[in-house]
Amino acid sequence: MAVTISERLGAIAAYCPKGARVADIGSDHALLASFLLENGVASYVVAGEVNEGPYRAAQKQLADLIANGLASVRKGDGLAVLRPGEVDVVCIAGMGGQLIVSILERGKAKLQDVRRLILQPNVGEERVRRWLWQNGWQLSRETILKEDDVIYEILVAEPGDPAQPYSGQERSVAELLRLGPLLWREKPPLLLEKWSREREKLQRILAQVTKSQSAEASARAQAVKQELNWLDEVIRCLQTGKP
Ligand code: SAM
């Protein structure tokens, strides 16, 4: 039966170039890998999984494609499952930014011939952008989407000039690493929703910390207020389209 995938995985699949050899690291049930092959997007996939349960599920999902030499399911940590030059595209999705960065950092040697990274951190996008910047990867696309009321960002990068997407903008690099340089240029409505949600979260934190009289709480409240001021200004720009 044809595999159906979520809108989030569909958006990731849309960034895989036709005919590419694709690695999906942390593939879970290998739905993305399966979809890419069934729909003639990828020419070959490697599904990598560190945990036994998802590894077995991926093997089951891809059994026919493995038999036809189109897929390989490998158990191991991050990019260690890949041979150098084996894939053109690496997808890492559905994990925290910190874990994605640690997988990329530890597997750097395997990225030499990779032409595109498609990364979807559930949290910690800033860390991922920083790693890309520090390691010669240029963001080429950023997408924001909402599914089941959760907002996700997808970052696509290629070897190039990492500073390019950050140049010619009025915001500092530090701010753009948080906001997303390409998302900030485009200002899609969901970016306003994302940062409005962040503001609400911080307002709740501020209400909590101001209940306490301790010096520590008052320092924390000060820091939260500063962050709220920044967010207010960011949100005003998103509402008015200002740079
Ligand atoms: N990529 C799929 C998606 O976006 O829907 C699955 C995401 S699932 C939440 C994260 C998967 O990554 C889990 O199946 C987990 O076992 C796997 N994983 C976590 N750390 C990993 C690592 N270092 N190497 C390979 N897989 C890992």
Side-chain angles (χ1 to χ4, degrees):
M1 205 172 69
V3 68
T4 51
I5 56 174
S6 62
E7 188 187 338
R8 175 182 62 86
L9 288 180
I12 292 168
Y15 286 126
C16 290
K18 201 168 164 55
R21 298 166 303 160
V22 180
D24 182 22
I25 302 300
S27 67
D28 199 5
H29 284 53
L31 294 182
L32 176 64
S34 190
F35 177 89
L36 290 173
L37 285 172
E38 279 183 13
N39 289 277
V41 179
S43 58
Y44 178 70
V45 298
V46 177
E49 247 307 326
V50 78
N51 287 311
E52 182 67 19
Y55 165 72
R56 280 176 189 270
Q59 271 188 322
K60 201 166 157 201
Q61 176 67 34
L62 294 173
D64 291 346
L65 296 159
I66 295 169
N68 291 332
L70 293 172
S72 174
V73 177
R74 303 190 189 148
K75 191 170 169 202
D77 178 20
L79 303 177
V81 298
L82 297 176
R83 290 187 278 277
E86 197 181 14
V87 294
D88 312 300
V89 175
V90 170
C91 301
I92 313 178
M95 308 174 197
Q98 190 170 354
L99 179 54
I100 292 179
V101 163
S102 120
I103 288 173
L104 292 169
E105 184 61 28
R106 286 179 290 123
K108 260 187 200 174
K110 302 289 177 63
L111 292 175
Q112 263 168 22
D113 297 310
V114 170
R115 308 317 309 156
R116 179 173 290 183
L117 295 175
I118 307 174
L119 309 172
Q120 184 267 299
N122 288 340
V123 291
E125 297 86 0
E126 181 185 356
R127 274 173 191 265
V128 178
R129 289 192 190 97
R130 194 178 298 279
W131 186 91
L132 293 170
W133 166 284
Q134 289 169 343
N135 288 277
W137 290 86
Q138 180 176 335
L139 277 169
S140 59
R141 294 292 300 266
E142 289 183 310
T143 295
I144 187 162
L145 63 97
K146 183 162 74 168
E147 188 171 62
D148 298 331
D149 208 39
V150 181
I151 295 177
Y152 298 101
E153 289 182 10
I154 299 171
L155 315 182
V156 182
E158 278 134 36
D161 173 10
Q164 198 278 335
Y166 296 83
S167 66
Q169 302 215 51
E170 290 187 18
R171 299 236 158 223
S172 68
V173 169
E175 288 177 292
L176 292 170
L177 285 168
R178 293 185 67 185
L179 298 165
L182 302 175
L183 287 173
W184 188 253
R185 248 177 243 233
E186 194 192 334
K187 297 189 179 55
L190 268 180
L191 197 62
L192 173 59
E193 187 170 337
K194 171 184 167 159
W195 291 104
S196 302
R197 286 183 182 195
E198 283 298 317
R199 180 171 60 180
E200 281 165 26
K201 233 189 278 172
L202 273 184
Q203 277 166 337
R204 282 196 296 274
I205 292 172
L206 185 62
Q208 278 302 317
V209 290
T210 47
K211 279 183 193 159
S212 162
Q213 303 293 319
S214 73
E216 198 187 311
S218 98
R220 174 87 177 110
Q222 212 39 47
V224 173
K225 278 183 197 161
Q226 236 174 34
E227 174 76 358
L228 275 170
N229 286 341
W230 180 74
L231 277 179
D232 283 342
E233 195 265 325
V234 159
I235 287 167
R236 266 198 304 280
C237 290
L238 287 167
Q239 284 166 334
T240 58
K242 276 198 206 141

